[in-house]
Amino acid sequence: MHRPITRALGTAVAVLGLVCALVGGWFVTQLGTSGTATFTAAPGDSTLVLPPDVLNRTDSGVTVRATADGDAPVWMGLARPSDVDSVMQDAKAARAQGVSVTGWELETTTSGSGSADPQTYDLWQGESRGTGQAALTVTQDAAPQTLVVTAGDDARLSEVTMTVTDSGWSTRAIVLLVVGLVLLVGGVYLAVRGGRGPRAGGPVEDEAVETDGAVETDETQVLGAADATATPDTTDETGTPAQPADPTTKETR
């Protein structure tokens, strides 16, 4: 493989490894070894609704904590999605659409203009109440479910957090980090190795040699040397092999 191609390939692998290592390392620092992620929302004066595609997205349990301004009462109710839809209908509420891992936020959109008091309905499968704050842990046994969070006395919900723990997330982050480091080291080695010249004493290409205005290669020189060592032709013009001279015979004059 040509050196420029080797260097380019090594650089590409190193860049890919660096990206994987950075992403994996960032997730490890955020999730820890337990794989715990916390997403936050600030609904303000709206009721917050967490639908199944957010609440039941994983097989792990989800813990939701809500805090209201002052000592206002906080209420949470868990029910089937169809029942919550019939209660809330056009009531003003912040409805969660998903999560963002860049800011660890609950992505919400506010819709509706009416009002509703969901606490007065007898359809909730699970409830939690508190003064100033409340918390509820949702398992996935009865999924799908929808969670409604609201504050009484016209108070504001200053913060709602959803915490999910999944050890598989941390495992995947660690694997991504390790793979990235391996690719980074391998790519750097390949790029540096590809930038070096041939090793000393290594094979070199045949060099052309000029002789008497003609150019002959090393291979031609070798063939010429082989011809020089060949046995000369000792036959005479008649085709009869020439006899060696008898060393004992003296020349007669």
Side-chain angles (χ1 to χ4, degrees):
M1 182 179 295
H2 297 294
R3 287 195 295 273
I5 298 178
T6 303
R7 286 197 301 268
L9 179 60
T11 301
V13 172
V15 171
L16 176 62
L18 179 60
V19 172
C20 292
L22 290 176
V23 173
W26 184 79
F27 273 107
V28 169
T29 59
Q30 298 296 316
L31 299 174
T33 56
S34 61
T36 300
T38 300
F39 305 94
T40 305
D45 57 355
S46 299
T47 299
L48 179 64
V49 178
L50 297 175
D53 53 353
V54 175
L55 196 64
N56 307 128
R57 195 165 186 171
T58 69
D59 295 332
S60 304
V62 177
T63 299
V64 180
R65 292 182 175 85
T67 303
D69 294 340
D71 293 331
V74 179
W75 175 86
M76 296 182 179
L78 189 66
R80 296 188 179 280
S82 58
D83 293 337
V84 173
D85 291 341
S86 63
V87 170
M88 298 304 295
Q89 293 185 359
D90 295 330
K92 182 180 180 181
R95 293 171 170 81
Q97 304 296 319
V99 297
S100 172
V101 296
T102 55
W104 299 105
E105 297 175 341
L106 277 169
E107 298 178 333
T108 62
T109 57
T110 301
S111 61
S113 57
S115 61
D117 188 3
Q119 305 178 55
T120 60
Y121 291 87
D122 185 18
L123 52 83
W124 305 104
Q125 298 173 332
E127 294 181 76
S128 177
R129 303 173 186 269
T131 301
Q133 61 181 357
L136 181 65
T137 298
V138 181
T139 62
Q140 305 300 330
D141 299 337
Q145 291 177 304
T146 298
L147 181 66
V148 179
V149 183
T150 186
D153 299 336
D154 296 327
R156 293 172 55 88
L157 285 173
S158 56
E159 184 181 73
V160 177
T161 62
M162 185 183 73
T163 302
V164 185
T165 300
D166 190 339
S167 59
W169 293 346
S170 60
T171 301
R172 287 189 286 270
I174 293 173
V175 170
L176 184 61
L177 173 61
V178 173
V179 171
L181 292 176
V182 172
L183 290 176
L184 176 59
V185 174
V188 170
Y189 174 80
L190 189 61
V192 173
R193 186 70 175 177
R196 293 179 180 177
R199 294 180 299 176
V204 296
E205 297 179 355
D206 292 341
E207 296 182 355
V209 180
E210 295 185 1
T211 56
D212 296 335
V215 179
E216 61 179 3
T217 62
D218 292 342
E219 182 180 357
T220 305
Q221 293 179 347
V222 173
L223 293 176
D227 292 341
T229 58
T231 303
D233 188 5
T234 58
T235 60
D236 57 13
E237 295 181 355
T238 60
T240 303
Q243 297 298 324
D246 188 355
T248 61
T249 303
K250 295 183 180 180
E251 181 182 356
T252 304
R253 298 184 177 180

